[in-house]
């Protein structure tokens, strides 16, 4: 009977994902933000604010140009936990009331299907449902100040999504993520928007932002997983910015989203310090506040820094590591800031 039961179980489980949710979480993009553990919604004062909190441009740099690349992978040895990888590239420029941006996000999730067998300590692996969503975002950001202490901003985006999914055989998480590039994708275009609010009172900054307001869905060619959906994400953050060049920040997700290892609602704390004339240092900590997931709380520690190379040109770097479910990430960026 096993040869009949296994395919039926696999079909039933895969069928639970008619519209698979993709978070493309806040931590996906931004080398400087990742160096602070993802505690950046209340900081957001350079061109990366078009992604992290559009309202941050109002009190940010007079001019900022950003080139950024970041990649992450979580491929635990235990395939039951699942596996995932992300990459993000961005070019953005901003002024206090306006910003333009293009960024490309790629997220791959591999979720295994297991069949419990009586008398066997570990369930048998049947197959893996692998899905990839690549999105190209072209955005225009506008910001309006309200009095001396409050600003609101929004980014209107044209999003081109390429969605693919299918069943991939194998038991090695790294191989599954690599083989996702062989899946056939379907492209479509959607409109979306992000909004944010920033309040500044003395040395304190507080922000709230919501991404993917319309939760656009992108159809796949796979009959089992009909579409991949960008989930709406809310996040709040506070930051203390001292004149001496020290920033301390705290962020918290306002809703839970879907990650490669289960539901995610992150909290983060981080800091940034101007050590000497040309050197900035960063560190941060990030953890999933929902602990009863396959990957647990997935704690991660980040370090990063910047070097003032020429005039207003800053070169950024970042590295994050943690539990198996948290995985590792790295990023490099160049910023021109006036």
């Amino acid at each position: 009977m096993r040869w009949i039961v296994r395919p039926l179980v696999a079909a039933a489980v895969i069928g639970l994902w008619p519209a698979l949710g993709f978070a493309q979480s806040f931590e996906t993009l931004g080398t400087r933000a990742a160096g602070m553990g993802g505690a950046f919604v209340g900081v957001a004062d350079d061109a990366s604010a078009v992604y992290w909190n559009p309202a941050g441009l109002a009190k940010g740099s007079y001019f900022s140009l950003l080139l950024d690349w970041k990649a992450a992978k979580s491929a635990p040895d235990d395939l039951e936990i699942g596996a995932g990888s992300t990459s993000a590239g961005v070019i953005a420029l901003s002024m206090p009331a306006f910003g333009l941006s293009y960024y490309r996000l790629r997220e791959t999730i591999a979720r295994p299907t297991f069949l419990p067998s009586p008398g066997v300590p570990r369930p048998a692996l049947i197959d893996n449902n692998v899905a990839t969503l690549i999105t190209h975002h072209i955005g225009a950001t506008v910001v309006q100040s309200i009095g001396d202490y409050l600003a609101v901003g929004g980014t209107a985006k044209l999003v081109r999504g390429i969605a693919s999914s299918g069943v991939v055989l194998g038991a090695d998480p790294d191989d599954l993520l690599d083989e996702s590039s062989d899946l056939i994708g379907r492209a479509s275009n959607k409109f979306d928007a992000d909004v944010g609010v920033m309040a500044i009172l003395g040395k304190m900054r507080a922000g709230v932002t919501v991404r993917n307001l319309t939760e656009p869905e992108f159809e796949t060619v796979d009959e089992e997983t009909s579409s991949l959906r960008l989930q709406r994400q809310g996040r709040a953050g506070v930051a203390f910015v001292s004149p001496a060049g020290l920033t301390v920040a705290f962020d918290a997700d306002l809703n839970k989203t879907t990650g490669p290892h289960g539901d995610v609602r992150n909290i983060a704390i981080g800091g940034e310090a101007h050590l000497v004339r040309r050197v900035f240092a960063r560190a941060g900590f990030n953890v999933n506040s929902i602990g009863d997931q396959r990957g647990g709380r997935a704690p991660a520690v980040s370090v990063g820094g910047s070097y003032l190379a020429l005039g207003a040109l800053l070169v950024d770097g970042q590295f994050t590591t943690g539990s198996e479910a948290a995985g590792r990430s790295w990023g490099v960026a160049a910023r021109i800031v006036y």
Side-chain angles (χ1 to χ4, degrees):
M1 291 292 291
R2 184 175 297 178
W3 65 275
I4 297 177
V5 173
R6 284 189 178 182
L8 291 177
V9 173
V13 175
I14 293 173
L16 294 177
W17 300 316
L20 183 61
F22 269 63
Q24 290 189 333
S25 65
F26 279 89
E27 290 83 0
T28 301
L29 186 151
T31 295
R32 181 184 172 205
M36 298 177 67
F40 203 68
V41 168
V43 179
D45 58 359
D46 59 22
S48 65
V50 299
Y51 174 89
W52 277 87
N53 185 353
L57 297 182
K59 302 297 183 179
S61 307
Y62 178 74
F63 175 84
S64 177
L65 174 64
L66 171 68
L67 296 172
D68 197 308
W69 174 261
K70 184 173 175 290
K73 178 183 284 189
S74 172
D77 294 332
D78 184 358
L79 189 58
E80 288 189 54
I81 298 177
S85 64
T86 63
S87 63
V90 60
I91 177 170
L93 63 86
S94 68
M95 292 173 283
F98 185 70
L100 293 173
S101 58
Y102 163 77
Y103 55 91
R104 175 189 183 274
L105 306 179
R106 177 191 175 106
E107 182 174 10
T108 298
I109 292 177
R111 292 181 174 175
T113 301
F114 290 93
L115 177 65
S117 300
V120 178
R122 291 181 62 87
L125 174 65
I126 298 177
D127 50 37
N128 302 278
N129 185 274
V130 179
T132 295
L133 181 60
I134 301 171
T135 52
H136 301 264
H137 304 247
I138 299 174
T141 302
V142 292
V143 184
Q144 177 64 53
S145 295
I146 302 174
D148 296 329
Y149 307 109
L150 187 68
V152 295
T155 300
K157 305 181 296 182
L158 172 64
V159 185
R160 182 169 179 81
I162 304 172
S164 60
S165 65
V167 173
V168 179
L169 300 179
D172 184 271
D174 286 298
D175 290 344
L176 294 175
L177 296 175
D178 292 339
E179 292 177 21
S180 66
S181 58
D182 296 331
L183 297 174
I184 298 174
R186 172 177 289 176
S188 56
N189 299 321
K190 306 285 184 177
F191 285 99
D192 196 14
D194 306 334
V195 296
V197 178
M198 182 75 82
I200 300 177
L201 183 61
K203 301 173 184 177
M204 299 298 299
R205 299 166 63 102
V208 177
T209 186
V210 180
R211 298 189 60 250
N212 308 326
L213 277 177
T214 67
E215 292 195 298
E217 290 190 18
F218 302 93
E219 294 182 352
T220 72
V221 298
D222 180 34
E223 295 181 357
E224 302 295 344
T225 304
S226 61
S227 65
L228 305 180
R229 176 172 53 90
L230 273 182
Q231 294 177 301
R232 187 180 299 114
Q233 301 168 288
R235 195 172 181 120
V238 295
F240 171 83
V241 182
S242 78
L246 174 65
T247 299
V248 179
F250 173 81
D251 272 23
D253 287 342
L254 300 179
N255 63 304
K256 64 182 180 181
T257 54
T258 303
H261 315 297
D263 291 335
V264 177
R265 189 170 60 228
N266 284 337
I267 57 175
I269 185 169
E272 178 181 66
H274 191 177
L275 297 182
V276 294
R277 181 172 176 266
R278 292 180 176 268
V279 178
F280 298 79
R282 300 180 189 94
F285 176 75
N286 187 292
V287 68
N288 185 1
S289 63
I290 305 175
D292 56 346
Q293 305 297 301
R294 292 188 298 272
R297 296 193 179 278
V301 176
S302 301
V303 293
S306 299
Y307 179 72
L308 184 60
L310 294 170
L313 174 62
L314 287 156
V315 179
D316 304 329
Q318 169 270 330
F319 179 75
T320 299
T321 187
S323 69
E324 279 194 315
R328 294 182 178 182
S329 75
W330 61 271
V332 292
R335 291 183 291 138
I336 296 176
V337 180
Y338 290 104

